[in-house]
């Protein structure tokens, strides 16, 4: 396993992974129309470039030369608080330790950047909540975030001290 920092030349890879992963990850949570709207909103090369220019750092998880997942982190989202914006793995490779490995890497990056706390948003109906709880995250808030077109992200905010 190898993790490397992504550049803008990797945005098409991230977009392709999102289009592969999201339909399965959110099949029981989002309508097809909302899923497509969100992919178009968050995962075009231009959208990813904007996210990067706004402070997100993208990382790719590779196994034997194949990219199997991606993450996006932001340091000092609030003073000394890192935020995980994205962490996705190919569906067929979940529950094999890759997610834990990738998450530990992200948390280590945050520690090395001097962050004291790590936060994330997760859809309130997402099975990943159990994954984050197992690592030690706790739900600290509930939010509904309007994203346009009448759609909302219905999330929990989860936090862990580093």
């Amino acid at each position: 396993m190898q993790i490397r920092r992504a550049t803008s030349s990797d945005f098409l890879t991230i977009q392709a992974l999102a289009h592969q992963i999201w339909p399965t990850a959110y099949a029981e949570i989002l309508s097809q129309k909302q899923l497509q709207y969100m992919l178009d909103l968050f995962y075009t090369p231009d959208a990813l470039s904007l996210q990067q220019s706004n402070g997100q750092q993208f990382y790719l998880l590779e196994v034997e030369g194949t990219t199997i997942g991606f993450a996006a982190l932001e340091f000092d989202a609030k003073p000394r608080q890192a935020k995980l914006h994205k962490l996705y793995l190919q569906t067929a490779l979940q529950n094999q330790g890759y997610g834990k490995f990738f998450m530990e890497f992200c948390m280590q990056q945050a520690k090395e950047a001097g962050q004291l706390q790590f936060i994330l948003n997760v859809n309130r109906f997402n099975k990943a909540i159990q994954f984050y709880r197992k690592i030690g995250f706790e739900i600290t808030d509930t939010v509904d975030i309007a994203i346009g077109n009448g759609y909302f992200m219905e999330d929990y905010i989860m936090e862990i001290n580093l």
Side-chain angles (χ1 to χ4, degrees), residues 50-122:
L50 180 62
Q51 292 165 44
Q52 186 179 51
S53 68
N54 286 333
Q56 291 185 39
Q57 297 179 20
F58 292 87
Y59 295 90
L60 300 177
L61 176 60
E62 299 173 335
V63 175
E64 297 177 7
T66 300
T67 304
I68 66 162
F70 64 93
L73 309 175
E74 178 183 0
F75 302 124
D76 291 314
K78 292 183 179 174
R80 312 238 11 218
Q81 185 181 68
K83 182 168 186 176
L84 179 71
H85 286 275
K86 302 167 183 19
L87 182 75
Y88 291 100
L89 295 174
Q90 289 179 348
T91 307
L93 298 174
Q94 292 175 359
N95 299 311
Q96 296 181 32
Y98 295 116
K100 183 179 179 193
F101 176 79
F102 208 5
M103 190 64 180
E104 287 171 352
F105 168 85
C106 293
M107 293 171 68
Q108 185 60 38
Q109 294 299 300
K111 285 180 188 176
E112 289 175 10
Q115 308 296 280
L116 300 176
Q117 195 173 46
F118 204 72
I119 67 165
L120 59 87
N121 286 33
V122 61

Side-chain angles (χ1 to χ4, degrees), residues 15 19 22-23 26 30-44 149 151:
Q15 180 184 37
H19 279 262
W22 272 49
Y26 294 107
L30 304 176
S31 71
Q32 186 62 36
K33 287 179 87 173
Q34 182 173 353
L35 182 104
Q36 191 59 53
Y37 175 81
M38 292 177 73
L39 284 169
D40 292 343
L41 183 65
F42 297 126
Y43 288 101
T44 64
N149 218 32
Y151 296 123

